[in-house]
Amino acid sequence: ETGVTQSPTHLIKTRGQQVTLRCSSQSGHNTVSWYQQALGQGPQFIFQYYREEENGRGNFPPRFSGLQFPNYSSELNVNALELDDSALYLCASSWGPPETQYFGPGTRLLVL
Amino acid sequence: TQLLEQSPQFLSIQEGENLTVYCNSSSVFSSLQWYRQEPGEGPVLLVTVVTGGEVKKLKRLTFQFGDARKDSSLHITAAQPGDTGLYLCAGMKGGKLIFGQGTELSVKP
């Protein structure tokens, strides 16, 4: 059984650019949640996808958007990057929205 | 405002000491999870507690869920350097995980 994987592991962008982060969910999981973790903080919920539909969103602006594909993998897109977007971006997958979530290793994004 | 408050935020102790980390909220959660995270990695689930008053043990770690399902504690007995890491509590609410800010634990040999 393959765990949750994320790509890339690290990324450096400049302010104003756009970025796409990818997540492959654990085999059989149909729900993917994305979190932003700033240095020294706990993860903050961005949004969740369940069976290819957005199933809840945290307090993040519309320039944070996402997709879930038929194989339940997912993308997080961030437009017009700001310096404060520098963080570890985590995705987690589960059998369903209320079930235990399993986290990937994260993508470390640095915005200069 | 943090929905889940963890305390302390930082803890530095000697090997062999005991410690307790607290996770408090004014909200009720359907379940509460404890995770451990090492630098550059994602959080790894330690335990899920569901029932008010529930106590779960994982070797030297003891987890307790408050009777009202609003708070939890993690107690580590005889801490070891391998216990060093960021400990996160997270409450499940409406299918979404809400995290505390974490407790950074350092256990010195």
Side-chain angles (χ1 to χ4, degrees):
Chain A
E1 186 178 88
T2 307
V4 180
T5 59
Q6 291 187 244
S7 64
T9 55
H10 296 83
L11 202 50
I12 300 174
K13 291 284 188 178
T14 55
R15 204 167 39 177
Q17 285 190 310
Q18 178 265 342
V19 70
T20 297
L21 310 181
R22 294 179 175 83
C23 172
S24 290
S25 57
Q26 189 166 314
S27 177
H29 286 184
N30 57 22
T31 304
V32 172
S33 303
W34 285 92
Y35 297 84
Q36 180 195 66
Q37 186 176 23
L39 206 58
Q41 300 292 318
Q44 297 289 314
F45 174 72
I46 302 175
F47 43 57
Q48 182 182 83
Y49 280 84
Y50 171 57
R51 292 184 174 179
E52 302 179 61
E53 298 286 329
E54 187 178 288
N55 184 48
R57 189 180 181 91
N59 191 25
F60 281 81
R63 59 190 184 84
F64 286 77
S65 62
L67 279 174
Q68 188 178 32
F69 300 100
N71 66 354
Y72 301 131
S73 66
S74 178
E75 284 182 357
L76 163 66
N77 299 289
V78 188
N79 294 322
L81 284 166
E82 301 177 0
L83 298 180
D84 284 350
D85 295 333
S86 295
L88 180 68
Y89 287 85
L90 296 161
C91 86
S93 72
S94 60
W95 291 105
E99 302 299 327
T100 299
Q101 297 183 14
Y102 295 89
F103 283 82
T107 294
R108 174 73 64 185
L109 173 65
L110 178 61
V111 182
L112 301 175
Chain B
T1 307
Q2 199 80 20
L3 194 58
L4 268 174
E5 294 283 346
Q6 276 188 247
S7 61
Q9 281 191 265
F10 300 96
L11 197 52
S12 180
I13 61 173
Q14 292 297 129
E15 182 175 2
E17 291 183 11
N18 302 332
L19 66 113
T20 302
V21 177
Y22 299 93
C23 177
N24 295 301
S25 177
S26 56
S27 293
V28 175
F29 294 99
S30 56
S31 67
L32 198 137
Q33 284 89 42
W34 283 92
Y35 291 84
R36 180 167 166 264
Q37 186 178 22
E38 300 203 37
E41 298 182 10
V44 174
L45 181 68
L46 296 173
V47 78
T48 300
V49 285
V50 179
T51 307
E54 184 176 3
V55 177
K56 281 192 173 178
K57 293 195 174 189
L58 187 66
K59 296 183 181 177
R60 294 176 293 101
L61 279 59
T62 302
F63 305 86
Q64 185 159 8
F65 201 12
D67 290 341
R69 291 188 291 134
K70 293 182 180 180
D71 54 82
S72 182
S73 64
L74 157 61
H75 182 78
I76 301 179
T77 304
Q80 298 176 1
D83 294 328
T84 293
L86 179 68
Y87 289 81
L88 295 157
C89 68
M92 183 68 79
K93 205 169 185 70
K96 321 296 184 292
L97 273 179
I98 299 167
F99 282 87
Q101 72 269 53
T103 294
E104 189 72 56
L105 172 65
S106 173
V107 182
K108 296 180 177 9

